[in-house]
Amino acid sequence: MTVRYVCRHCQTLIGEIQNESVSEYQLGFHFLTPAERKDIIAYNSDGDVTVKIVCDYCKQTLDQYPELSLLANPLQ
């Protein structure tokens, strides 16, 4: 299983874990509510997982210009 961490705004690949024995518990997914899991985690048909998070660049930009968060795709 490959777990890819991708920025939800700019789609930049932030990191990747390639380990067949890593569990969702080890990744901390068990702390998420069902709604958060649905919003953050995508399970691909090939068994890989994509986790949508926010990269440092997008976080800094949104902190500096909070009005951008009102847009559907603020930092394409």
Side-chain angles (χ1 to χ4, degrees), residues 29-45:
F29 293 169
H30 63 287
F31 288 113
L32 301 173
T33 66
E36 290 171 330
R37 288 177 71 92
K38 185 177 180 185
D39 183 48
I40 296 170
I41 303 169
Y43 297 92
N44 305 329
S45 60

mmCIF file of all heavy atoms in Angstrom, residues 29-45:
data_model
loop_
_atom_site.group_PDB
_atom_site.id
_atom_site.type_symbol
_atom_site.label_atom_id
_atom_site.label_comp_id
_atom_site.label_asym_id
_atom_site.label_seq_id
_atom_site.Cartn_x
_atom_site.Cartn_y
_atom_site.Cartn_z
ATOM 1 N N PHE A 29 -5.143 7.712 11.577
ATOM 2 C CA PHE A 29 -6.458 7.919 10.974
ATOM 3 C C PHE A 29 -7.597 7.663 11.964
ATOM 4 O O PHE A 29 -8.692 8.180 11.793
ATOM 5 C CB PHE A 29 -6.645 7.025 9.743
ATOM 6 C CG PHE A 29 -5.751 7.366 8.580
ATOM 7 C CD1 PHE A 29 -5.665 6.514 7.503
ATOM 8 C CD2 PHE A 29 -4.991 8.524 8.546
ATOM 9 C CE1 PHE A 29 -4.852 6.796 6.413
ATOM 10 C CE2 PHE A 29 -4.167 8.825 7.470
ATOM 11 C CZ PHE A 29 -4.106 7.958 6.395
ATOM 12 N N HIS A 30 -7.342 6.874 12.991
ATOM 13 C CA HIS A 30 -8.386 6.540 13.948
ATOM 14 C C HIS A 30 -8.824 7.759 14.772
ATOM 15 O O HIS A 30 -9.876 7.749 15.391
ATOM 16 C CB HIS A 30 -7.919 5.412 14.880
ATOM 17 C CG HIS A 30 -6.745 5.770 15.728
ATOM 18 N ND1 HIS A 30 -5.482 5.882 15.209
ATOM 19 C CD2 HIS A 30 -6.649 6.050 17.047
ATOM 20 C CE1 HIS A 30 -4.636 6.220 16.180
ATOM 21 N NE2 HIS A 30 -5.327 6.323 17.309
ATOM 22 N N PHE A 31 -8.047 8.821 14.757
ATOM 23 C CA PHE A 31 -8.417 10.039 15.471
ATOM 24 C C PHE A 31 -9.452 10.866 14.707
ATOM 25 O O PHE A 31 -10.064 11.768 15.270
ATOM 26 C CB PHE A 31 -7.191 10.918 15.733
ATOM 27 C CG PHE A 31 -6.258 10.365 16.776
ATOM 28 C CD1 PHE A 31 -4.987 9.942 16.425
ATOM 29 C CD2 PHE A 31 -6.644 10.272 18.106
ATOM 30 C CE1 PHE A 31 -4.116 9.442 17.375
ATOM 31 C CE2 PHE A 31 -5.785 9.767 19.065
ATOM 32 C CZ PHE A 31 -4.519 9.354 18.704
ATOM 33 N N LEU A 32 -9.635 10.586 13.434
ATOM 34 C CA LEU A 32 -10.549 11.359 12.592
ATOM 35 C C LEU A 32 -11.983 10.891 12.756
ATOM 36 O O LEU A 32 -12.253 9.704 12.910
ATOM 37 C CB LEU A 32 -10.142 11.227 11.124
ATOM 38 C CG LEU A 32 -8.741 11.694 10.747
ATOM 39 C CD1 LEU A 32 -8.442 11.342 9.300
ATOM 40 C CD2 LEU A 32 -8.583 13.178 10.984
ATOM 41 N N THR A 33 -12.910 11.831 12.679
ATOM 42 C CA THR A 33 -14.331 11.497 12.681
ATOM 43 C C THR A 33 -14.679 10.930 11.302
ATOM 44 O O THR A 33 -13.924 11.128 10.334
ATOM 45 C CB THR A 33 -15.191 12.737 12.949
ATOM 46 O OG1 THR A 33 -15.050 13.647 11.846
ATOM 47 C CG2 THR A 33 -14.813 13.430 14.248
ATOM 48 N N PRO A 34 -15.819 10.262 11.172
ATOM 49 C CA PRO A 34 -16.214 9.756 9.845
ATOM 50 C C PRO A 34 -16.298 10.868 8.788
ATOM 51 O O PRO A 34 -15.892 10.666 7.643
ATOM 52 C CB PRO A 34 -17.580 9.120 10.097
ATOM 53 C CG PRO A 34 -17.509 8.686 11.538
ATOM 54 C CD PRO A 34 -16.716 9.756 12.227
ATOM 55 N N ALA A 35 -16.773 12.040 9.173
ATOM 56 C CA ALA A 35 -16.861 13.156 8.218
ATOM 57 C C ALA A 35 -15.471 13.628 7.808
ATOM 58 O O ALA A 35 -15.232 13.925 6.628
ATOM 59 C CB ALA A 35 -17.653 14.306 8.824
ATOM 60 N N GLU A 36 -14.558 13.707 8.755
ATOM 61 C CA GLU A 36 -13.183 14.108 8.442
ATOM 62 C C GLU A 36 -12.514 13.081 7.544
ATOM 63 O O GLU A 36 -11.815 13.447 6.593
ATOM 64 C CB GLU A 36 -12.375 14.284 9.729
ATOM 65 C CG GLU A 36 -12.773 15.486 10.550
ATOM 66 C CD GLU A 36 -12.116 15.506 11.919
ATOM 67 O OE1 GLU A 36 -11.824 14.427 12.482
ATOM 68 O OE2 GLU A 36 -11.918 16.622 12.445
ATOM 69 N N ARG A 37 -12.719 11.810 7.830
ATOM 70 C CA ARG A 37 -12.137 10.747 6.995
ATOM 71 C C ARG A 37 -12.620 10.869 5.552
ATOM 72 O O ARG A 37 -11.836 10.745 4.617
ATOM 73 C CB ARG A 37 -12.499 9.369 7.544
ATOM 74 C CG ARG A 37 -11.777 9.003 8.815
ATOM 75 C CD ARG A 37 -12.250 7.666 9.335
ATOM 76 N NE ARG A 37 -11.791 6.583 8.512
ATOM 77 C CZ ARG A 37 -10.659 5.897 8.719
ATOM 78 N NH1 ARG A 37 -9.903 6.183 9.745
ATOM 79 N NH2 ARG A 37 -10.316 4.923 7.911
ATOM 80 N N LYS A 38 -13.905 11.131 5.395
ATOM 81 C CA LYS A 38 -14.479 11.250 4.055
ATOM 82 C C LYS A 38 -13.885 12.442 3.305
ATOM 83 O O LYS A 38 -13.647 12.376 2.105
ATOM 84 C CB LYS A 38 -15.991 11.383 4.153
ATOM 85 C CG LYS A 38 -16.699 11.392 2.825
ATOM 86 C CD LYS A 38 -18.190 11.460 2.994
ATOM 87 C CE LYS A 38 -18.863 11.479 1.647
ATOM 88 N NZ LYS A 38 -20.297 11.656 1.761
ATOM 89 N N ASP A 39 -13.623 13.520 4.035
ATOM 90 C CA ASP A 39 -13.093 14.737 3.430
ATOM 91 C C ASP A 39 -11.595 14.647 3.148
ATOM 92 O O ASP A 39 -11.109 15.198 2.163
ATOM 93 C CB ASP A 39 -13.363 15.934 4.354
ATOM 94 C CG ASP A 39 -12.912 17.252 3.762
ATOM 95 O OD1 ASP A 39 -13.223 17.517 2.591
ATOM 96 O OD2 ASP A 39 -12.231 18.011 4.472
ATOM 97 N N ILE A 40 -10.855 13.947 3.979
ATOM 98 C CA ILE A 40 -9.396 13.961 3.923
ATOM 99 C C ILE A 40 -8.802 12.761 3.195
ATOM 100 O O ILE A 40 -7.803 12.889 2.488
ATOM 101 C CB ILE A 40 -8.817 14.037 5.358
ATOM 102 C CG1 ILE A 40 -9.230 15.359 6.007
ATOM 103 C CG2 ILE A 40 -7.317 13.871 5.372
ATOM 104 C CD1 ILE A 40 -8.916 15.435 7.489
ATOM 105 N N ILE A 41 -9.406 11.580 3.334
ATOM 106 C CA ILE A 41 -8.800 10.342 2.839
ATOM 107 C C ILE A 41 -9.571 9.808 1.638
ATOM 108 O O ILE A 41 -10.789 9.700 1.675
ATOM 109 C CB ILE A 41 -8.773 9.275 3.957
ATOM 110 C CG1 ILE A 41 -8.024 9.806 5.175
ATOM 111 C CG2 ILE A 41 -8.141 7.993 3.452
ATOM 112 C CD1 ILE A 41 -8.171 8.932 6.403
ATOM 113 N N ALA A 42 -8.831 9.457 0.595
ATOM 114 C CA ALA A 42 -9.429 8.827 -0.592
ATOM 115 C C ALA A 42 -8.745 7.481 -0.804
ATOM 116 O O ALA A 42 -7.519 7.390 -0.834
ATOM 117 C CB ALA A 42 -9.253 9.703 -1.818
ATOM 118 N N TYR A 43 -9.546 6.432 -0.923
ATOM 119 C CA TYR A 43 -9.036 5.085 -1.168
ATOM 120 C C TYR A 43 -9.138 4.805 -2.660
ATOM 121 O O TYR A 43 -10.209 4.861 -3.240
ATOM 122 C CB TYR A 43 -9.835 4.062 -0.368
ATOM 123 C CG TYR A 43 -9.700 4.267 1.121
ATOM 124 C CD1 TYR A 43 -10.605 5.058 1.817
ATOM 125 C CD2 TYR A 43 -8.652 3.689 1.824
ATOM 126 C CE1 TYR A 43 -10.466 5.264 3.188
ATOM 127 C CE2 TYR A 43 -8.509 3.888 3.185
ATOM 128 C CZ TYR A 43 -9.423 4.676 3.856
ATOM 129 O OH TYR A 43 -9.275 4.874 5.206
ATOM 130 N N ASN A 44 -8.012 4.529 -3.282
ATOM 131 C CA ASN A 44 -7.964 4.273 -4.719
ATOM 132 C C ASN A 44 -8.247 2.809 -5.010
ATOM 133 O O ASN A 44 -8.051 1.942 -4.156
ATOM 134 C CB ASN A 44 -6.604 4.686 -5.280
ATOM 135 C CG ASN A 44 -6.270 6.128 -4.948
ATOM 136 O OD1 ASN A 44 -7.153 6.967 -4.841
ATOM 137 N ND2 ASN A 44 -4.997 6.408 -4.757
ATOM 138 N N SER A 45 -8.672 2.518 -6.221
ATOM 139 C CA SER A 45 -9.035 1.153 -6.599
ATOM 140 C C SER A 45 -7.854 0.183 -6.549
ATOM 141 O O SER A 45 -8.040 -1.017 -6.397
ATOM 142 C CB SER A 45 -9.662 1.137 -7.993
ATOM 143 O OG SER A 45 -8.742 1.642 -8.935
#
